[in-house]
Amino acid sequence: MEKTQRRVGVIGGVRIPFCRNNTAYADVGNFGMSVKVLGALVERFGLHGVELGEVVMGAVIKHSSDWNLAREALLSSGLAPTTPGITTARACGTSLDNAIIVANKIAVGQIDAGIAGGSDTTSDVPIVYGTRLRKRLLAMNRAKTPLDKLKVALRGFSFGELKPSFPGVAEPRTGKSMGDHCEQMAKEWQIGREAQDQLALDSHHKLAAAYDAGFFDDLLVPFRGLKRDGFLRPDSTLEKLATLKPAFDKASGRGTLTAGNSTGLSDGAAAVLLASDEWAAQRGLKIQAYLRDAEVAAVDFVHGEGLLMAPTIAVPRMLARNGLSLQDFDYYEIHEAFAAQVLCTLRAWESADYCKNRLRLDAPFGSIDPAKLNVHGSSLAVGHPFAATGARIIATLAKLLEQKGSGRGLISICTAGGMGVTAILERP
């Protein structure tokens, strides 16, 4: 018997304030932050002792001991210990991906409700050692006697083997950082410094206004003395941003990406609760919005495509499947990995050449109303703990749609590895 696909509701989400690495959460780690947001979600929606169908959490940078962060964190959250948990990673799109995983299971009737989220820290990072020392330690472990272990330890040893290796942000295939790749994109699409700084400034001002209006009062849980995001600079000006030096292309004199128009290394966590209409109604929980559809795409950045341009491909595919145009949205939540990345995406959709030759469209995909873009600020002002950003955006957009009463929102997130994760939220 064929099953009917069910609607998937976003009931709501919570997060802790995002902060700069090596500050408030330096000693907390992914486990502590994940427990905090899951516990806060349990508290907010009365889920103590409730068995959910799945908890899907993610972390991009994590220790090997956090092999299943989701399961371990949910066991300390107040949920029923019979709730399953799985840990994932797709760089910056991780927690949006996790929401898609949970939503798909709800839609086909495998589960009735689940939590999607993510946590990331660039403060408590795994430190590893080189191949020679690793092989030496493994050989010592295999040696039978203390004398054999000592011989293995000393044979050919050099103190250089003790030099640690820290996690890098460079793409393994190119050796270039995400910022280096985005600099190339900015030059290709002729995105100037002033436009990037203006977008960054707008993000800070919109986030500050949203805080002052109380929009985040029920979305944020104070943690470690923080009540607001540590990156927020409400007093920032274009003049201040203009004084910052290029952060990536420092030598050519043509670099436009700076610490002011790029996201900084961040710590934080976020999570959202998704459910079927029936499950929510049984518990007296209101649904803020519905996750209508999603799409993932990838680009061949190794051979010249822009590393962060995959959302330009994913969004048209998703909208075509749903009979929608780019202009059929009330809100656009485009992750601000870099101001240049957002501007490159918008320019590509306006380009007749790009839309014809890359997207195979008969006409330009079109423009969006700037007044509908990231209306309460985004990653440039909030911060960007990689695996937490998607859940933050879902919770923000769902609340925006609830406040409006009806409408539709587009989510677009670029990721490392040349991928993009996108989704549609709507409130009938």
Side-chain angles (χ1 to χ4, degrees):
M1 182 177 178
E2 189 173 323
K3 291 185 177 181
T4 302
Q5 183 170 304
R6 299 188 297 179
R7 295 195 302 180
V8 179
V10 178
I11 293 177
V14 297
R15 67 180 178 92
I16 55 175
F18 294 170
C19 68
R20 294 184 184 277
N21 70 332
N22 298 318
T23 58
Y25 308 155
D27 62 339
V28 180
N30 284 322
F31 176 75
M33 292 189 294
S34 297
V35 169
K36 181 65 179 181
V37 295
L38 288 178
L41 204 62
V42 167
E43 194 71 33
R44 179 177 172 187
F45 295 112
L47 303 178
H48 292 279
V50 174
E51 178 184 309
L52 297 181
E54 190 78 273
V55 171
V56 188
M57 294 288 287
V60 178
I61 300 176
K62 62 187 181 73
H63 295 273
S64 58
S65 58
D66 291 333
W67 66 275
N68 194 350
L69 180 67
R71 174 62 176 162
E72 296 302 322
L74 78 85
L75 289 172
S76 298
S77 69
L79 289 170
T82 49
T83 300
I86 186 172
T87 304
T88 71
R90 197 205 295 268
C92 315
T94 297
S95 52
L96 177 54
D97 254 322
N98 293 346
I100 296 167
I101 292 170
V102 172
N104 285 342
K105 289 189 173 188
I106 293 171
V108 299
Q110 292 178 351
I111 65 174
D112 294 314
I115 291 174
S119 169
D120 253 305
T121 173
T122 48
S123 301
D124 179 24
V125 298
I127 299 173
V128 298
Y129 291 88
T131 302
R132 288 187 63 187
L133 182 60
R134 188 167 65 251
K135 288 184 176 179
R136 185 182 300 278
L137 294 172
L138 290 171
M140 287 173 61
N141 186 59
R142 290 192 296 266
K144 301 298 184 183
T145 69
L147 180 59
D148 289 339
K149 292 180 185 295
L150 181 61
K151 289 178 180 178
V152 172
L154 298 178
R155 188 182 304 125
F157 174 78
S158 69
F159 284 101
E161 294 178 25
L162 299 177
K163 182 180 179 181
S165 175
F166 293 87
V169 293
E171 289 291 333
R173 297 283 175 168
T174 64
K176 297 177 181 178
S177 71
M178 189 178 286
D180 293 328
H181 277 281
C182 196
E183 273 284 12
Q184 290 180 330
M185 289 166 47
K187 291 179 175 64
E188 177 186 350
W189 290 98
Q190 299 180 340
I191 305 298
R193 167 74 180 270
E194 187 174 350
Q196 296 176 48
D197 287 349
Q198 184 65 62
L199 192 147
L201 181 68
D202 292 343
S203 188
H204 283 277
H205 288 174
K206 288 187 283 190
L207 180 65
Y211 268 114
D212 292 344
F215 179 84
F216 293 107
D217 287 355
D218 61 345
L219 295 179
L220 232 71
V221 180
F223 189 48
R224 288 295 182 98
L226 293 184
K227 296 182 179 180
R228 291 192 173 192
D229 300 299
F231 289 86
L232 177 59
R233 296 290 180 269
D235 58 348
S236 186
T237 65
L238 281 177
E239 290 73 24
K240 290 179 180 178
L241 290 171
T243 65
L244 298 175
K245 296 180 180 180
F248 301 99
D249 181 2
K250 302 176 183 180
S252 74
R254 298 188 299 124
T256 57
L257 273 67
T258 71
N261 57 41
S262 310
T263 52
L265 295 176
S266 314
D267 297 349
V272 292
L273 175 64
L274 300 102
S276 66
D277 285 309
E278 296 79 9
W279 189 92
Q282 288 171 3
R283 285 156 182 79
L285 297 173
K286 295 180 180 178
I287 288 176
Q288 293 183 317
Y290 292 92
L291 202 164
R292 172 168 169 173
D293 201 1
E295 180 79 15
V296 179
V299 294
D300 186 5
F301 70 95
V302 178
H303 296 100
E305 287 195 274
L307 177 74
L308 306 178
M309 297 297 284
T312 66
I313 299 163
V315 169
R317 283 182 191 168
M318 178 175 65
L319 268 54
R321 186 168 60 242
N322 287 273
L324 297 171
S325 74
L326 183 60
Q327 292 71 42
D328 291 334
F329 292 86
D330 301 282
Y331 302 107
Y332 302 85
E333 288 288 333
I334 301 180
H335 161 49
E336 299 168 345
F338 304 89
Q341 177 271 325
V342 177
L343 296 170
C344 285
T345 295
L346 298 178
R347 187 158 294 181
W349 285 336
E350 295 168 351
S351 166
D353 180 68
Y354 184 83
C355 291
K356 177 182 178 180
N357 296 317
R358 183 60 182 90
L359 304 183
R360 301 291 187 261
L361 299 177
D362 295 332
F365 199 42
S367 304
I368 68 171
D369 182 352
K372 299 178 180 179
L373 174 64
N374 298 344
V375 298
H376 286 334
S378 192
S379 306
L380 288 168
V382 177
H384 175 38
F386 309 123
T389 289
R392 171 189 70 78
I393 290 175
I394 292 170
T396 298
L397 181 55
K399 182 172 178 178
L400 280 168
L401 291 170
E402 181 187 38
Q403 287 187 338
K404 186 177 182 299
S406 64
R408 187 181 296 119
L410 175 68
I411 299 175
S412 171
I413 299 179
C414 60
T415 89
M419 296 177 287
V421 189
T422 63
I424 299 169
L425 260 61
E426 64 183 9
R427 183 179 174 90

